[in-house]
Amino acid sequence: MSVKLSRRDFLKASAISALGVATLGPSVALGESTAADAPQTETAAAKAVTPGTSGVVDRASLPRRAWDDPELLVKIRWSGVNFYEFVLPGGVSIVMDPYFDDPDNDHNEYKYTPTDLPGGDWVHGADYILLTHGHFDHTGELPSVLEKYPLAHLVAPEHSLPSLIFGHENKINYAGHYFDAAGAHDKFVYKGFTLETCRSNHNVSAKPTTDSLDGSKYQNADGTVNFYELYRWIYEREIMNMKITTDEGFTILIWNSEMQADGMGYESRSYFYKDAKPDLFMYQVAGASFDYDRRNPNCQHMGEWIASVKGSAAMPEHQQHFSYDELDAMSAQFSDICNAQGVSTAFLTPETGVWYGYTKDADGNIDICLVDEA
C-alpha cells in the first residue's frame, strides 16, 4: 500500500524519526506500510546478522560512531531514488545521481526526500559526481550541486553528455566544468580512490514485445529526423556500472543496469561482478526485476545474482518503489538464497537522510554503524 506524503509532511515524519535515531536508533518505517499490510517475515528487520551467515541488519540495534572516527572507511547517506553520498577517510566527498523525489510525480511510489534544500546546499560536499546515466531522475539536482561546487569532477557515460548538457535548460556549461566521459570499460585514478566502469543498458519496464519505434517523437516539424532527440533518447539509457576502490582498500561495487525478472535480460558481463567479493555491493531494485509485480516480488533471480557477487555487505539503490518493510522482506529472501549457497552478506535497508559508516577488521569482516553528522 502506497502512503503519499507531501514533502512538508514527510519532513515532520523525518523529525520524529530523527528523535528515534537519537534514542533508540532509526525507526523501521516513516509513514510507509503499517503492521497490518507489511509483508510478514520472521527474519525481516528483526534480528542482528549472525557472523558467517547472511541476514537483514536490524537498524534499531546499530551502534553510533563520531563523524571523525578514524576506523570509519566510508560514510554513506541516501537521500531518495538513487541519490547517494560517499565520504572517504581523507574527506573526499562523492555524490552519485543527485535527484530528489518529486512529490507530485506518481513515478515515485514513496516520497523519501529528506529536505527542502536544493541539492547543492544539502550535500556534505562534492569533490566528485558520478552519474550512472542521463535520465532526469538521476540528474535533476546536478545543476544545483555544480553551482555550489563548480570544481567538482563529473564522471558520466560518454554518450550521455548531450542529454546532460542540453537537458537542463542550458544550466550546465560543459566547457566550464571538469568532465570525464567514461568509456565502455574504463579506469580512473582520483584523489582517495580508483574508479572502474563497466558499460551496460537500462532495463525495460515490461516484457519485451515486437513493435516499431515511434518516429514522430524524433521528427522535426517538416518530417525530417531530429537526430539529437533520437540520440538523446537512446543514450540516456546507457548505464555506467562502477567499482570504487578507496586508497584504504575498501571496495564498493555499484550495479545499476539490466536485471530482468525473466532471467533473460540478466547481465552477461560476469567478469565484473561474479565472485567480486566487494566489501559493499549496491544492487538496483527499480524496474522490472521481480516478475513485474512489485507488491509480490519474485526474488529468486535477483537473489541468485546477488549471491554470485559474494559481497560482505549489501544495500539497495533506486528504491523509491518500495517501503522500508518491503525492502527488508526482500532482503530476507535474498539472505535465504545466499545462505543456501554458503554466502555471507549483511543486508542493510538505509533510511533516507541518515549517515551510515562501514569499518573492516584485520580479517576483512565488515561492521556497520550509524554516524553522527559533523
Side-chain angles (χ1 to χ4, degrees), residues 58-77:
D58 180 1
R59 296 186 295 278
S61 68
L62 289 175
R64 303 191 70 85
R65 288 178 180 258
W67 181 267
D68 58 356
D69 189 317
E71 293 187 1
L72 293 175
L73 295 179
V74 66
K75 296 181 279 282
I76 299 176
R77 178 169 68 175

Side-chain angles (χ1 to χ4, degrees), residues 111-193:
K111 313 306 182 189
Y112 283 120
T113 296
T115 179
D116 275 339
L117 294 172
D121 291 336
W122 167 251
V123 297
H124 179 81
D127 296 302
Y128 299 90
I129 302 171
L130 309 181
L131 300 180
T132 62
H133 59 296
H135 282 164
F136 194 80
D137 61 343
H138 294 256
T139 66
E141 289 294 321
L142 179 60
S144 170
V145 177
L146 285 175
E147 181 179 8
K148 183 76 171 185
Y149 298 96
L151 297 182
H153 207 130
L154 190 145
V155 188
E158 59 182 342
H159 298 114
S160 69
L161 292 181
S163 65
L164 294 176
I165 296 166
F166 293 107
H168 292 277
E169 300 176 351
N170 297 320
K171 294 179 180 178
I172 297 174
N173 177 7
Y174 176 76
H177 294 288
Y178 296 109
F179 277 80
D180 267 339
H185 309 286
D186 222 329
K187 186 173 183 178
F188 305 92
V189 180
Y190 294 125
K191 180 181 179 180
F193 70 104

Side-chain angles (χ1 to χ4, degrees), residues 174-284:
Y174 176 76
H177 294 288
Y178 296 109
F179 277 80
D180 267 339
H185 309 286
D186 222 329
K187 186 173 183 178
F188 305 92
V189 180
Y190 294 125
K191 180 181 179 180
F193 70 104
T194 297
L195 176 70
E196 298 170 77
T197 65
C198 179
R199 186 75 54 72
S200 188
N201 194 36
H202 200 282
N203 61 9
V204 297
S205 58
K207 291 183 178 180
T209 59
T210 55
D211 60 359
S212 300
L213 186 67
D214 183 1
S216 64
K217 296 180 180 179
Y218 320 105
Q219 292 178 351
N220 297 310
D222 61 0
T224 58
V225 176
N226 184 321
F227 284 102
Y228 165 69
E229 288 297 331
L230 179 60
Y231 182 100
R232 179 187 61 80
W233 181 85
I234 292 173
Y235 286 111
E236 278 184 342
R237 299 175 58 83
E238 185 178 51
I239 293 284
M240 183 174 74
N241 299 309
M242 298 174 281
K243 180 182 179 182
I244 295 172
T245 303
T246 71
D247 289 354
E248 294 76 20
F250 192 91
T251 56
I252 306 171
L253 181 61
I254 303 170
W255 205 268
N256 300 273
S257 63
E258 208 163 44
M259 286 290 143
Q260 298 302 131
D262 55 18
M264 298 299 293
Y266 268 53
E267 284 295 350
S268 55
R269 297 168 178 83
S270 57
Y271 69 89
F272 201 80
Y273 64 80
K274 189 175 182 180
D275 297 325
K277 298 180 181 179
D279 295 313
L280 175 61
F281 178 45
M282 299 179 68
Y283 57 95
Q284 193 230 113

Side-chain angles (χ1 to χ4, degrees), residues 278-334:
D279 295 313
L280 175 61
F281 178 45
M282 299 179 68
Y283 57 95
Q284 193 230 113
V285 295
S289 299
F290 305 99
D291 279 352
Y292 310 96
D293 186 354
R294 293 187 179 117
R295 299 289 78 84
N296 297 285
N298 177 356
C299 294
Q300 189 64 35
H301 285 303
M302 181 71 81
E304 291 175 352
W305 174 69
I306 292 173
S308 75
V309 176
K310 299 180 180 177
S312 297
M315 178 185 293
E317 49 175 316
H318 212 318
Q319 58 263 45
Q320 80 275 21
H321 295 292
F322 300 99
S323 70
Y324 294 124
D325 292 335
E326 288 174 315
L327 288 164
D328 281 332
M330 292 160 62
S331 293
Q333 293 188 57
F334 298 151

